[in-house]
Amino acid sequence: MTVRVTPFNKILIANRGEIALRVMRTARGMGYPTVAVYSSADSSAPHVCAADQAMYIGGALPAESYLRIDAIIAAAKKSGADAVHPGYGFLAENADFARACRGAGLVFIGPSAEAIDAMGDKAGAKRLMLGAGVPCIPGYEGDDQNDARLVTEAGRIGFPLMIKARAGGGGRGMRYVEASSQFLGLLQSARSEAQNAFGDTAMILERAVKNARHIEIQVFADRYGNAIHLGERDCSIQRRHQKLIEESPSPSVTPRLRERMGEVAVNAVKAIKYEGAGTLEFLLDESGEFYFMEMNTRLQVEHPVTEAITGLDLVAMQLRIAAGEALLLAQQDVVFNGHAIEVRLCAEDANQSFMPQSGIIARWRAPESLRAEHALACGIEIAPYYDSMIAKIISHGASREAARRKLINELSGTVVLGVTTNQAFLARCLAHPAFVQGDATTTFVSENLDALLWIDADFEARATAIAALLLQVTNRSRNHPGCENKLVHRFAIPMRLEFNGDARNVTLKASGLGHFAVTVIDRSFDCELVDIQGDTARFVCDGVTDRAIFHRNENHLDFQFMGQSFTVDDKSLVAAICAEKKLGDGKVRAAMNGRVVAIQAATGDMVGAGQPMIVVEAMKMEHIHRAPFAGKVAAIQVVVGDQVAARCVIAEVNAPVS
């Protein structure tokens, strides 16, 4: 064996957030200085502060910064970095970037540009895998992208089926089609999203595998022909075809099946002379048969669960392979220990179709005894330009049940205020009987959505009473409630609250210092504040002593109680707003901070109720803004490319004159 080394001395990390910090941690431990790159939105971000050097590369939008190959290569040259780690997302699977690094004399910590090219095209990758003997889902991968041809192929495959962007990943440009009548509309939608995300509208079609598990195999290969697998990860808990919870090992994979899938994956990477870390993704059907979907030519978001059960540092393995070292272990040396589960904490509102959220983190407290990968701190802005995932929390235990219980407990104690997240939704997923029993498939979220979103009305009323108590006592004195007013008012105090977006009328009646009878709708609670220490309030509500973490800014209150976060605005002193006309005011408001990517109506057009008008993209998700009622478009107040703030008016519709 001829050893071909490519040593390097300083690593530029072409990414941001938690993955940049993750790579820095291992690089520093191995003696490598690191260079961060940052956009105008990230000038004071944790990954910038943590690096040995940092280089500004452009504006807030990814296309102006993290997707600029020229700026990143220039930053590497100027900083003296001689290697580049792409992380995941952005340019991690961009063959042109790998090629540019090689052309600039930089070591790209990942596979070759040729391997990325081969596996980045889903149609080409599928053909390669079929040639290597890997089972694939029946479908259509042809170059003829004419609507008529795709309709014909869809009929041949049968429904339900999946439309997938040929250049895609991360759920972008992917649509599930139940019936032929939906096909053309969803095809157009997938093409639009794929064009915006990848600059390529080509699609492939695949038969939908019902009640499937999403299983991926982690592989590593070196430049000398050695390859191993590190077992499987079960990524079946998803929304919008994007993963939320991952675990290893999978509760549905037997040792024999693991051996079969691992052998297939290793043979596949050997066949394409792959080098570095990679993941082959499969669908596992009810009968135990598995089918190749795609290969990710990079480190995965969920790699920590594999690290937990193998005891290996996957980033360190990447660095060694990139430097020209051979794999240090053979397949028989890989040992699996216990069970690991990871949840993705995302800035999104599960109750609003998982709509991405942005804003300022008012309070952040990581779990005390679990691994947490994040780039968060109080005062950090969650910008609308990047992925909605803001942290990963990983639990490892001797058994699946031990890991699950520990994760639920620590997730409940994790504090994030100021931005709506999926924290409580994740806890409900982990506690759901289907997950507990290991029976969850890729349809788990859609099939159980109502149960996963349901909040007990009594609990919500209790939380409203606690919010009123906190607002009232912090109005008087945060540290010593009631101390400046020795006379306790015995009359009722009416309050009007906007609680998680809903109007609530609340009445408080004082019966002692810090002690109130609180009425919410038809419920009455006996509440007493015990003390406030910093951001933690301890109180008694109907005889039960509990605590809440809170942050108050003027009349706005964010607080977390029993693992659930709430946002409250005190509207008590705001003049009541008259009810709008039955049809509403006709104003179409942006549902989130984001960028306008499509306008589907023009001033003067007649539109029907619910007709698509404007598409806004934020955090890898497109949101269609529709006409509030049938009428005439009075104004379109944005153009494609505009950045819009949540709740700003982007269009107006006039109701027809009766």
Side-chain angles (χ1 to χ4, degrees):
M1 180 181 73
T2 302
V3 177
R4 294 176 283 121
V5 299
T6 47
F8 47 87
N9 300 297
K10 183 188 286 189
I11 303 171
L12 180 141
I13 299 155
N15 219 294
R16 64 182 298 277
E18 57 86 18
I19 184 56
L21 290 171
R22 165 70 189 92
V23 174
M24 287 177 197
R25 188 169 68 242
T26 288
R28 185 169 289 116
M30 295 176 68
Y32 291 109
T34 59
V35 180
V37 292
Y38 64 94
S39 70
S40 58
D42 280 339
S43 58
S44 58
H47 78 279
V48 176
C49 302
D52 297 292
Q53 292 176 284
M55 305 289 292
Y56 172 72
I57 53 171
L61 292 173
E64 301 169 343
S65 50
Y66 297 107
L67 294 177
R68 284 188 57 198
I69 293 174
D70 59 334
I72 293 172
I73 297 294
K77 290 293 189 181
K78 189 172 183 179
S79 66
D82 50 0
V84 174
H85 193 299
Y88 42 68
F90 294 137
L91 296 171
E93 294 182 282
N94 187 302
D96 289 338
F97 182 48
R99 202 170 283 116
C101 288
R102 184 170 62 194
L106 303 170
V107 175
F108 181 76
I109 301 171
S112 67
E114 291 72 24
I116 296 174
D117 264 333
M119 302 312 294
D121 183 308
K122 280 187 170 63
K126 196 170 179 180
R127 289 190 287 266
L128 278 173
M129 291 297 103
L130 285 168
V134 178
C136 295
I137 303 172
Y140 174 72
E141 307 86 38
D143 292 330
D144 185 350
Q145 293 287 307
N146 183 275
D147 282 5
R149 177 62 184 273
L150 293 179
V151 168
T152 299
E153 293 295 337
R156 177 184 62 81
I157 296 165
F159 295 90
L161 60 76
M162 298 298 299
I163 301 173
K164 294 182 178 181
R166 190 163 71 182
R172 308 299 300 276
M174 185 183 296
R175 298 293 185 272
Y176 175 78
V177 188
E178 289 186 347
S180 59
S181 59
Q182 301 174 322
F183 182 76
L184 284 175
L186 291 172
L187 175 65
Q188 180 182 1
S189 173
R191 280 174 169 162
S192 172
E193 190 171 80
Q195 177 62 43
N196 291 325
F198 313 114
D200 187 343
T201 61
M203 296 288 146
I204 67 171
L205 308 179
E206 289 181 346
R207 188 184 75 200
V209 180
K210 295 181 179 179
N211 299 317
R213 309 291 288 248
H214 184 146
I215 307 294
E216 59 187 28
I217 303 292
Q218 176 72 63
V219 293
F220 269 89
D222 62 26
R223 63 190 60 176
Y224 310 110
N226 304 306
I228 60 172
H229 74 85
L230 302 180
E232 83 283 357
R233 295 184 290 254
D234 193 317
C235 309
S236 300
I237 309 299
Q238 305 175 2
R239 51 85 179 96
R240 301 197 310 269
H241 307 295
Q242 295 174 343
K243 303 164 188 173
L244 281 178
I245 301 175
E246 300 98 352
E247 60 181 310
S248 184
S250 168
S252 64
V253 173
T254 64
R256 174 62 187 136
L257 180 57
R258 180 176 302 114
E259 184 180 345
R260 283 177 54 209
M261 296 183 77
E263 184 179 358
V264 164
V266 167
N267 289 341
V269 296
K270 285 183 175 180
I272 62 173
K273 296 180 171 58
Y274 191 81
E275 178 182 335
T279 305
L280 280 84
E281 305 209 5
F282 299 92
L283 285 180
L284 177 67
D285 71 15
E286 294 175 295
S287 71
E289 293 302 315
F290 58 92
Y291 305 94
F292 172 79
M293 288 194 297
E294 63 183 4
M295 181 176 182
N296 291 305
T297 54
R298 53 170 168 80
L299 195 69
Q300 292 279 86
V301 173
E302 56 272 21
H303 75 274
V305 296
T306 298
E307 293 184 326
I309 67 163
T310 62
L312 299 171
D313 184 329
L314 271 57
V315 174
M317 292 176 68
Q318 284 188 299
L319 300 185
R320 292 191 183 101
I321 289 171
E325 294 184 28
L327 280 168
L328 297 179
L329 69 168
Q331 190 63 58
Q332 61 268 26
D333 300 322
V334 178
V335 178
F336 303 112
N337 174 35
H339 199 100
I341 308 174
E342 172 184 289
V343 294
R344 302 189 186 193
L345 186 65
C346 298
E348 62 185 23
D349 189 344
N351 290 289
Q352 298 293 326
S353 301
F354 302 98
M355 189 179 298
Q357 305 291 301
S358 56
I360 304 295
I361 297 292
R363 290 285 185 274
W364 163 251
R365 196 170 300 162
E368 295 181 356
S369 63
L370 297 184
R371 176 176 174 179
E373 299 286 351
H374 66 90
L376 299 176
C378 293
I380 290 288
E381 180 180 9
I382 305 301
Y385 316 112
Y386 313 118
D387 192 274
S388 64
M389 189 187 76
I390 58 174
K392 304 181 307 195
I393 301 171
I394 305 96
S395 175
H396 181 227
S399 66
R400 184 176 188 266
E401 181 59 13
R404 187 190 69 86
R405 286 199 312 267
K406 192 188 306 182
L407 184 52
I408 290 176
N409 184 57
E410 290 289 334
L411 184 61
S412 177
T414 300
V415 176
V416 54
L417 296 179
V419 176
T420 300
T421 74
N422 64 343
Q423 179 181 3
F425 181 83
L426 293 171
R428 293 192 194 102
C429 288
L430 293 169
H432 192 280
F435 185 86
V436 174
Q437 295 160 14
D439 294 334
T441 69
T442 54
T443 59
F444 168 78
V445 169
S446 59
E447 289 178 349
N448 299 287
L449 189 59
D450 288 345
L452 296 172
L453 294 177
W454 182 78
I455 300 178
D456 180 81
D458 182 72
F459 173 73
E460 198 165 65
R462 185 178 301 271
T464 305
I466 293 164
L469 174 71
L470 288 172
L471 285 165
Q472 180 62 25
V473 297
T474 54
N475 269 342
R476 297 160 72 180
S477 172
R478 176 162 297 182
N479 295 315
H480 302 286
C483 68
E484 72 280 73
N485 185 356
K486 302 299 182 183
L487 296 176
V488 177
H489 295 292
R490 300 290 179 176
F491 54 83
I493 306 168
M495 298 184 73
R496 190 157 53 88
L497 307 181
E498 189 174 283
F499 185 91
N500 279 5
D502 293 332
R504 302 274 173 89
N505 290 319
V506 182
T507 302
L508 295 87
K509 188 171 183 180
S511 56
L513 294 178
H515 194 288
F516 296 87
V518 186
T519 302
V520 182
I521 311 175
D522 58 350
R523 283 295 318 274
S524 183
F525 300 92
D526 185 30
C527 297
E528 179 184 5
L529 183 75
V530 177
D531 63 37
I532 295 179
Q533 299 293 331
D535 61 3
T536 303
R538 195 158 61 94
F539 53 86
V540 179
C541 185
D542 281 357
V544 178
T545 301
D546 217 318
R547 58 176 49 83
I549 312 298
F550 73 98
H551 174 77
R552 180 170 183 174
N553 182 12
E554 299 295 335
N555 289 324
H556 181 81
L557 176 74
D558 292 296
F559 76 104
Q560 185 171 313
F561 169 55
M562 294 184 65
Q564 178 81 42
S565 296
F566 302 95
T567 298
V568 185
D569 287 291
D570 187 354
K571 302 287 188 179
S572 303
L573 300 180
V574 178
I577 300 173
C578 295
E580 294 175 347
K581 290 183 292 185
K582 187 175 181 181
L583 285 176
D585 60 5
K587 291 181 171 61
V588 180
R589 293 175 171 84
M592 56 192 176
N593 294 345
R595 181 171 65 95
V596 177
V597 296
I599 296 176
Q600 300 172 341
T603 300
D605 285 356
M606 298 301 296
V607 293
Q611 181 174 326
M613 295 184 66
I614 296 171
V615 182
V616 176
E617 180 187 59
M619 295 177 170
K620 296 172 65 176
M621 177 182 176
E622 289 187 349
H623 185 78
I624 299 173
H625 293 70
R626 303 176 184 274
F629 46 73
K632 185 176 184 179
V633 179
I636 298 290
Q637 299 183 358
V638 291
V639 297
V640 171
D642 278 358
Q643 289 292 320
V644 296
R647 302 301 300 157
C648 76
V649 177
I650 56 178
E652 293 185 54
V653 177
N654 287 340
V657 178
S658 56

